[in-house]
Amino acid sequence: MGSFADQLLVLVMLINFVMLGSSRMALCIRAVAVQGVVLGLLPGLVHPFSWHLAGITCGIILAKGIVIPYLINDAVRKAQIRREIEPFIGYVPTLILGAIFTTLAFVFAEKLPLAPEHRELLFVPASIATLMSGFLILTTRKKAISQVIGYLVLENGIFIFGLLLTEAMPVMVEAGALLDLLVGIFVMGIVINHISREFSSIDTSRLRALKEE
């Protein structure tokens, strides 16, 4: 099970690179949906079966793989935008930064005092690499929808690290975290619609031009 979980974590990190290197909104949304489904499968691979675990798995796949991508896709459709044309940093430099951060994540994870059962797994380096990939998307893209995707990827990195603590976390805390994420995406969708309606664009760099009169 551990080796299969590591293979899924490698897939998660490869999906990070797909999103870092793509300007197409539809592809990024599908990628983050696949990443959400993969993350939903991981708890069942590293912990023994329980109804608590089954509920977490179903909730994660439903929220991260279906509901949230649907909300983002709906915002994209209403804003009528297909690509991130001019990010703050180009796609090739962003991919290079992503590769550097991923390498540093493995180096940093080697130095952490992990529990013996977690040392051979890729959870910590995958968590840090995914968190940094989300941070890159969040800070290097201009479109509000791309930044929402970055926020979601960043949260996925935190989620991977939290998988090491699944047995210690009560179900209400996990449900509350998922609910916070859903509310955050919902509020961001409303903000995106208002920005698109007022400015005919969702380029957040234009908000800097706003001044009090």
Side-chain angles (χ1 to χ4, degrees):
M1 284 295 183
S3 61
F4 186 51
D6 280 346
Q7 291 174 16
L8 290 182
L9 289 169
V10 171
L11 177 60
V12 167
M13 288 186 279
L14 291 176
I15 291 173
N16 292 339
F17 285 107
V18 170
M19 289 185 280
L20 286 172
S22 177
S23 65
R24 295 175 56 195
M25 294 290 179
L27 177 61
C28 290
I29 294 171
R30 283 196 289 271
V32 82
V34 172
Q35 192 175 61
V37 172
V38 172
L39 293 182
L41 297 175
L42 284 174
L45 297 177
V46 295
H47 297 289
F49 176 81
S50 68
W51 289 112
H52 172 201
L53 192 63
I56 291 173
T57 299
C58 293
I60 293 167
I61 292 176
L62 181 66
K64 291 179 177 290
I66 299 174
V67 176
I68 293 174
Y70 171 79
L71 292 174
I72 299 175
N73 198 50
D74 186 57
V76 168
R77 183 177 55 79
K78 289 178 180 176
Q80 297 181 340
I81 183 169
R82 295 182 178 178
R83 290 178 179 272
E84 173 84 44
I85 303 297
E86 296 179 345
F88 291 115
I89 300 177
Y91 291 101
V92 173
T94 305
L95 275 172
I96 294 172
L97 284 173
I100 292 172
F101 285 143
T102 301
T103 303
L104 291 177
F106 278 88
V107 174
F108 181 68
E110 283 288 328
K111 299 182 180 300
L112 289 178
L114 301 175
E117 63 271 23
H118 296 153
R119 284 178 185 165
E120 302 300 324
L121 298 173
L122 296 178
F123 279 86
V124 175
S127 167
I128 299 172
T130 304
L131 195 150
M132 294 308 299
S133 296
F135 179 76
L136 274 176
I137 296 172
L138 192 61
T139 55
T140 62
R141 306 291 164 84
K142 291 182 179 178
K143 303 296 184 187
I145 290 176
S146 297
Q147 293 169 356
V148 171
I149 293 173
Y151 166 71
L152 190 56
V153 175
L154 192 150
E155 195 279 334
N156 283 346
I158 297 171
F159 172 83
I160 294 171
F161 192 81
L163 285 176
L164 299 177
L165 308 171
T166 303
E167 291 178 346
M169 293 174 68
V171 66
M172 290 306 295
V173 174
E174 294 155 1
L178 277 177
L179 184 62
D180 287 345
L181 183 62
L182 280 172
V183 171
I185 297 296
F186 184 71
V187 170
M188 286 180 180
I190 293 173
V191 172
I192 288 169
N193 284 334
H194 280 284
I195 292 175
S196 176
R197 188 184 307 162
E198 296 297 329
F199 298 98
S200 299
S201 170
I202 55 172
D203 188 340
T204 55
S205 63
R206 296 189 179 185
L207 296 178
R208 296 175 183 172
L210 293 177
K211 295 180 180 178
E212 293 184 1
E213 297 182 356

